[in-house]
Amino acid sequence: MNKVIVLLSAIFLFISALITGCGGDVSIQDELAMIPGLCFLHVHIGDNMNMGLIPDEVNEYIPMWLCDSLHTRGSFGVSLLGINLTDLSPQLLFLSREVTTDEMLQLGIYGFNCDFEENLEGYNLIDDRGSMIGSIVGRDGWTCLVTGSGADRTAGRWLELERDESLMSDVDLISISESDADLSVLISHNSIAFVSVIPTGMLSRAEVRTLNKVKGIIQTIKPNALRISFSIIENELPVTLLEIQLVRNGDIITTLRTSFSDTGLTPEDLLQIIRDGGFLF
């Protein structure tokens, strides 16, 4: 009997150790449960992502210094919540489990070169004119930094975000969301539906033509959710992998995978060729 008790105790301790050791692991689905369902797109950046591959031009829209700082601590997410139509500036949500609100505050003060004010929920970042740059809050082990106009209101709504209001409620997106890629871009049904009803009054003729082509593609393939993933496998010969998964009406999943390797070109060289050819930016 004593041997049985000892054996059961050992099994219990082993299981406890496993649970404790795995407690820090967070899936992309866990991350999506913390992202508002009406965001335009969500980008998950994994631990192994080579941040140097992201073009410098992206810094015009996203504070890459913040992305670099968060990435040194682990994986994180960035969501496009909206666009200010007056100056086309994006409202972004940065999400991490690797930093505290106080650490995020220090990153914000240093990176934005700004002041701050504390409130009941977290912190607001304030520029030298007294305007709000961003708002920092935390819940359930996650830290969130929202940038742009009305950041404090958006951060307050994030604190009250329910699971059925998040991207986790998009069944189609969840079905293709999990990936161990270095970088994944996730686009939900709400975003795809929004593209179909974008007004054209403020667009140029060229932009209207482009938008109409996109709408035509949407009407043809009837997408419900989309994931684009990018990875580099660091072997003796680095391999660049690109995967696109699309959920279409009728629970049809389309998958496209392509890989690239070259004995004379690195992934950085390939990206530079694409940029010089005008395919990016």
Side-chain angles (χ1 to χ4, degrees), residues 158-272:
W158 178 81
L159 287 173
E160 301 174 353
L161 183 69
E162 299 289 343
R163 192 179 183 88
D164 60 0
E165 299 171 334
S166 71
L167 284 179
M168 189 67 181
S169 65
D170 189 327
V171 177
D172 291 323
L173 184 64
I174 291 301
S175 69
I176 58 172
S177 63
E178 284 302 331
S179 170
D180 58 0
D182 297 343
L183 182 148
S184 293
V185 179
L186 299 156
I187 302 176
S188 70
H189 176 70
N190 287 329
S191 300
I192 296 171
F194 175 78
V195 172
S196 301
V197 296
I198 292 177
T200 59
M202 299 177 61
L203 303 180
S204 66
R205 291 184 178 180
E207 290 171 335
V208 171
R209 286 196 296 270
T210 300
L211 179 61
N212 287 337
K213 289 180 181 178
V214 173
K215 289 181 177 179
I217 294 173
I218 291 175
Q219 291 174 357
T220 301
I221 64 177
K222 296 179 173 59
N224 288 336
L226 172 67
R227 174 174 58 81
I228 304 172
S229 296
F230 170 85
S231 291
I232 293 177
I233 308 301
E234 293 289 356
N235 296 322
E236 182 177 348
L237 180 62
V239 178
T240 303
L241 302 176
L242 179 68
E243 179 178 86
I244 299 174
Q245 271 202 317
L246 180 71
V247 180
R248 299 185 286 123
N249 279 1
D251 296 326
I252 300 171
I253 297 179
T254 300
T255 302
L256 171 64
R257 295 187 182 94
T258 184
S259 63
F260 171 87
S261 64
D262 191 284
T263 57
L265 292 176
T266 66
E268 291 84 352
D269 295 332
L270 174 62
L271 180 61
Q272 190 61 49

Side-chain angles (χ1 to χ4, degrees), residues 31-84:
E31 188 171 294
L32 294 181
M34 305 303 293
I35 302 299
L38 294 179
C39 79
F40 286 95
L41 60 86
H42 179 70
V43 181
H44 173 81
I45 295 90
D47 297 342
N48 297 323
M49 177 63 190
N50 181 354
M51 301 298 284
L53 292 176
I54 299 178
D56 294 337
E57 291 85 349
V58 172
N59 198 49
E60 297 180 17
Y61 310 98
I62 299 176
M64 287 305 301
W65 56 264
L66 179 57
C67 293
D68 291 337
S69 296
L70 293 175
H71 187 253
T72 60
R73 293 160 169 82
S75 62
F76 68 99
V78 184
S79 297
L80 174 61
L81 299 182
I83 299 174
N84 188 330

Side-chain angles (χ1 to χ4, degrees), residues 65 106-115 126-128 133:
W65 56 264
Q106 294 305 313
L107 291 176
I109 292 173
Y110 178 79
F112 288 116
N113 189 25
C114 66
D115 202 351
I126 309 296
D127 65 17
D128 54 8
I133 298 175

Side-chain angles (χ1 to χ4, degrees), residues 113-132:
N113 189 25
C114 66
D115 202 351
F116 76 97
E117 62 181 18
E118 188 172 2
N119 56 43
L120 295 175
E121 299 173 334
Y123 304 100
N124 293 329
L125 301 175
I126 309 296
D127 65 17
D128 54 8
R129 297 174 299 177
S131 299
M132 185 177 300

